[in-house]
């Protein structure tokens, strides 16, 4: 069994990007610039956005954080989105979710220029990805694809069972892995809460992507010998022995499943560390006009 080390891979990717930024600077080019809009003071959102800004600093990007109080109006927020759409210096930006209830998240998302949508949430990017056009791909699926690529995990002709059909992980993973390409060319089954015979289905999988948000859902008797298991779960469960009072639990019962696997992602330290790095990858792609010319 080999652990897929997302922390290490993330460090490697960031080093590669930092070197590229150095080269851009040396050639007198424009430094990539990521902006983030943060509304309110939710602890989780604060810490995500701070991680994103730190990652920019680490790779040498310019970053801007635009903050609003919870009572910002939808109009004010939409005006800022439009301003960033037109700001020639900003290569990409994100609006951290969730937003307060009085703001329509879909409307905000659809107002973002798809060419700057480095979160890959805009319907144009989701549509482009689905039909195999160049697109910004959202952080978690892109991070998983990067891990599969760097660990040279064969997906062609394999049976992948994606457990979970969310818009941000399950569905895009099923699209990406069934597309032509490497990683890709897999036969994909999407399983969800109404799927019959889930255990048998998982036992037939060469690769399982567990993205249901239910801690320890995938058990040892659901996984065949030699399978690859990608655990996307990041549920915070109460813990007496940690400073924060919680710890992250994956969707996979690691101790039972790991001994059967050829490769497995741990939680924490697997898929998670790659997500912010994916945003950095997208911002560089945007700056280099790799997706939209
Ligand atoms: N909230 C939780 N994850 C994300 C993310 O990837 N992007 C944005 N914009 N908000 C989030």
């Amino acid at each position: 069994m080999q652990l897929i080390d997302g922390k290490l891979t993330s460090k490697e990717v960031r080093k590669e990007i930092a070197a590229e930024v150095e080269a851009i600077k040396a050639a007198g080019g424009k430094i990539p610039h990521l902006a983030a809009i943060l509304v309110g003071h939710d602890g989780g959102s604060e810490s995500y956005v701070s991680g994103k800004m730190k990652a920019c600093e680490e790779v040498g990007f310019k970053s801007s954080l635009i903050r609003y109080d919870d009572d910002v109006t939808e109009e004010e927020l939409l005006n800022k989105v439009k301003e960033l759409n037109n700001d020639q210096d900003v290569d990409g930006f994100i609006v951290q979710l969730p937003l307060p209830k009085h703001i329509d998240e879909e409307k905000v998302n659809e107002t973002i220029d798809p060419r700057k949508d480095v979160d890959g949430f805009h319907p144009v990017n989701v549509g482009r990805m689905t039909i195999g056009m160049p697109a910004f791909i959202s952080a978690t699926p892109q991070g998983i694809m990067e891990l599969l690529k760097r660990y040279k995990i064969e997906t062609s002709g394999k049976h992948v069972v994606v457990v979970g059909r969310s818009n941000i992980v399950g569905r895009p993973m099923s699209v990406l892995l069934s597309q032509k390409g490497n990683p890709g060319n897999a036969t994909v089954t999407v399983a969800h809460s109404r799927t019959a015979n889930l255990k048998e289905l998982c036992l037939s999988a060469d690769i399982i992507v567990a993205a249901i948000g239910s801690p320890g859902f995938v058990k040892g008797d659901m996984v065949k010998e030699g399978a690859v298991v990608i655990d996307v779960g990041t549920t915070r469960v109460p813990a007496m022995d940690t400073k924060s009072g919680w710890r992250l639990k994956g969707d996979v019962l690691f101790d039972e499943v790991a001994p059967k696997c050829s490769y497995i992602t741990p939680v924490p330290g697997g898929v998670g560390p790659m997500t912010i790095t994916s945003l950095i990858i997208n911002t560089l792609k945007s700056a280099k006009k790799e997706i939209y010319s």
Side-chain angles (χ1 to χ4, degrees):
M1 182 273 293
Q2 194 183 338
L3 277 184
I4 298 178
D5 189 339
K7 218 170 155 181
L8 184 73
T9 308
S10 171
K11 260 193 204 152
E12 283 169 8
V13 175
R14 290 187 192 190
K15 246 193 210 164
E16 290 164 17
I17 293 179
E20 214 172 317
V21 174
E22 277 303 316
I24 293 171
K25 273 190 207 168
K30 180 191 164 300
I31 295 166
H33 181 182
L34 173 71
I37 299 178
L38 174 59
V39 179
H41 301 277
D42 170 75
S45 293
E46 291 268 1
S47 109
Y48 273 131
V49 170
S50 137
K52 290 169 187 179
M53 299 292 102
K54 274 194 199 127
C56 284
E57 196 182 327
E58 190 182 327
V59 298
F61 285 4
K62 184 172 169 187
S63 65
S64 306
L65 175 57
I66 299 127
R67 306 189 71 123
Y68 289 103
D69 283 330
D70 271 319
D71 60 357
V72 64
T73 64
E74 186 178 278
E75 190 190 2
E76 221 178 322
L77 193 62
L78 290 174
N79 283 338
K80 178 52 80 175
V81 167
K82 288 172 196 162
E83 188 188 310
L84 292 174
N85 283 343
N86 294 320
D87 186 334
Q88 296 299 314
D89 194 63
V90 172
D91 297 293
F93 66 96
I94 63 147
V95 179
Q96 187 67 23
L97 304 176
L99 291 170
K101 296 235 174 329
H102 66 278
I103 297 175
D104 182 344
E105 283 186 2
E106 258 177 35
K107 197 165 166 187
V108 172
N109 188 30
E110 285 191 277
T111 305
I112 296 173
D113 184 335
R115 289 169 297 185
K116 294 195 177 185
D117 168 39
V118 284
D119 255 335
F121 290 167
H122 193 287
V124 165
N125 279 313
V126 178
R128 286 172 65 107
M129 174 201 68
T130 304
I131 58 173
M133 285 175 73
F136 289 119
I137 293 162
S138 60
T140 305
Q142 171 154 268
I144 295 170
M145 294 297 275
E146 196 66 35
L147 287 173
L148 293 171
K149 188 155 67 180
R150 288 181 181 248
Y151 276 82
K152 298 189 170 60
I153 290 168
E154 185 63 82
T155 57
S156 180
K158 302 294 182 191
H159 181 209
V160 179
V161 172
V162 178
V163 191
R165 56 180 162 184
S166 71
N167 286 339
I168 53 169
V169 186
R171 214 182 298 277
M173 275 321 296
S174 69
V175 170
L176 293 167
L177 285 169
S178 60
Q179 273 174 352
K180 282 185 183 166
N182 181 28
N185 291 324
T187 305
V188 181
T189 306
V190 182
H192 45 77
S193 54
R194 304 288 175 92
T195 297
N197 305 322
L198 183 64
K199 183 176 162 187
E200 287 69 28
L201 198 60
C202 286
L203 275 169
S204 75
D206 302 304
I207 301 171
I208 295 176
V209 179
I212 24 188
S214 174
F217 184 88
V218 177
K219 314 240 177 346
D221 64 357
M222 295 165 76
V223 178
K224 81 171 173 192
E225 282 295 330
V228 175
V229 173
I230 307 295
D231 188 350
V232 190
T234 52
T235 308
R236 287 180 178 189
V237 297
M240 308 284 278
D241 56 338
T242 64
K243 219 165 90 186
S244 58
W246 52 267
R247 77 158 40 88
L248 284 183
K249 274 262 185 244
D251 287 349
V252 175
L253 206 52
F254 187 87
D255 291 347
E256 275 185 31
V257 172
K260 303 181 91 172
C261 294
S262 54
Y263 290 90
I264 185 167
T265 60
V267 175
V271 173
M274 287 300 288
T275 54
I276 291 181
T277 299
S278 295
L279 182 67
I280 297 294
I281 293 173
N282 278 348
T283 306
L284 182 64
K285 282 183 179 172
S286 185
K288 290 164 74 182
K289 308 263 183 290
E290 272 182 22
I291 307 289
Y292 298 89
S293 45

